[in-house]
Amino acid sequence: MGGWLKIAGLGPGAEALVTPEVSAALAEATDVVGYVPYVERVPPRPGLTRHGSDNREEIRRAEQALQMAANGRRVVVVSSGDPGVFAMAAAVFEALEAGEPAWRSLDIQVLPGISAMLAASARLGAPLGHDFCCINLSDNLKPWALIEKRLRLAAEADFAMAFYNPRSRARPEGFARALQVLREVCGPQRLIMFARAVSTPEEAVRVTTLGEADAEMADMRTLVMVGSSQTRCIERDGQPWVYTPRSVSGADS
């Protein structure tokens, strides 16, 4: 059998949320490549080599995976969530475009996974039920000025918004700045939701308003969502349901 490369999403954490397609690819693989915590989610077995690396080595690990596939190995590059959402699919294609011409003839497939954004939305109800956008708040690969511009424009366009990587130990001030921008545009009563480690034993979900939100409510395992002006909260015993209607009030029929 010739080599191949599959770029797979492992979902948000629970084994039940790994797709059958991804499970089948992992069962056939000779090598699994990825960030150490994600590689460790793949159980060891005879005939499988796991190659874990640091989180900032995306291009190097993509090149490693492409070369192993070119050498006849059956390689799965793993990400959490979906590999096309701020994850390894883009890194592999970036390495492919800049790399060996022979790599372009490889059998490469992207296998979708359940993203943290969609898992968090499902826990809360349907906060992304109408137009929404998704923004990575990490400034590791883009300047803060661009992040702030996108935040402001998305809020002015009245999207519901989902935010990845809101607050790290190295840059705790970034999320506080993001909250201030959102308050300026959306006002203090806009709904904001914090969904941490969804589908794992550490899961914690919280619904509040921008006026009550604090930057310390989020960390790098938290998916943050801010509603549009149309987003509604249904109070009940326990956690409320949050949804954004599919129609916009006041719009023409």
Side-chain angles (χ1 to χ4, degrees):
M1 180 184 294
W4 46 251
L5 175 61
K6 299 184 180 182
I7 312 160
L10 297 177
E15 184 65 27
L17 298 183
V18 179
T19 70
E21 182 182 41
V22 169
S23 295
L26 291 170
E28 296 179 22
T30 58
D31 299 84
V32 171
V33 177
Y35 178 38
V36 171
Y38 306 151
V39 169
E40 290 179 348
R41 287 177 56 185
V42 180
R45 60 169 170 78
L48 177 68
T49 303
R50 301 186 300 174
H51 307 265
S53 55
D54 183 79
N55 196 34
R56 300 194 182 203
E57 298 183 10
E58 290 92 347
I59 298 300
R60 190 199 65 79
R61 81 167 66 103
E63 293 170 342
Q64 177 190 24
L66 287 160
Q67 188 57 57
M68 286 194 296
N71 292 339
R73 309 288 288 178
R74 301 188 299 276
V75 185
V76 177
V77 175
V78 293
S79 297
S80 67
D82 180 275
V85 180
F86 307 128
M88 281 302 298
V92 170
F93 289 115
E94 184 177 349
L96 178 70
E97 183 179 25
E100 299 292 332
W103 290 350
R104 299 190 181 202
S105 63
L106 288 171
D107 178 5
I108 300 175
Q109 298 178 49
V110 180
L111 310 183
I114 297 173
S115 70
M117 173 178 64
L118 298 181
S121 180
R123 282 289 191 271
L124 287 154
L128 306 180
H130 202 277
D131 297 341
F132 70 91
C133 69
C134 182
I135 300 174
N136 187 345
L137 295 184
S138 171
D139 61 358
N140 284 336
L141 298 175
K142 62 179 181 287
W144 172 258
L146 179 59
I147 295 173
E148 182 170 340
K149 178 180 179 180
R150 289 176 175 174
L151 276 173
R152 194 174 297 277
L153 291 173
E156 289 175 354
D158 201 22
F159 285 110
M161 294 168 273
F163 302 128
Y164 279 75
N165 300 320
R167 184 172 182 269
S168 72
R169 294 177 184 175
R171 43 178 180 76
E173 72 287 346
F175 187 51
R177 293 165 67 186
L179 288 175
Q180 184 56 39
V181 170
L182 292 167
R183 290 188 191 105
E184 290 172 6
V185 181
C186 302
Q189 297 307 311
R190 185 66 57 87
L191 289 171
I192 183 170
M193 296 138 273
F194 298 85
R196 184 179 188 277
V198 170
S199 85
T200 77
E202 294 79 38
E203 177 178 316
V205 178
R206 181 172 183 173
V207 179
T208 186
T209 64
L210 282 172
E212 296 294 325
D214 184 272
E216 293 187 2
M217 293 178 181
D219 61 14
M220 293 295 277
R221 296 188 70 193
T222 306
L223 192 289
V224 179
M225 285 181 282
V226 173
S228 74
S229 64
Q230 305 290 312
T231 301
R232 303 176 188 176
C233 183
I234 302 174
E235 298 291 348
R236 60 178 185 141
D237 291 338
Q239 179 189 306
W241 292 117
V242 178
Y243 80 104
T244 302
R246 294 178 61 195
S247 61
V248 176
S249 60
D252 293 335
S253 298

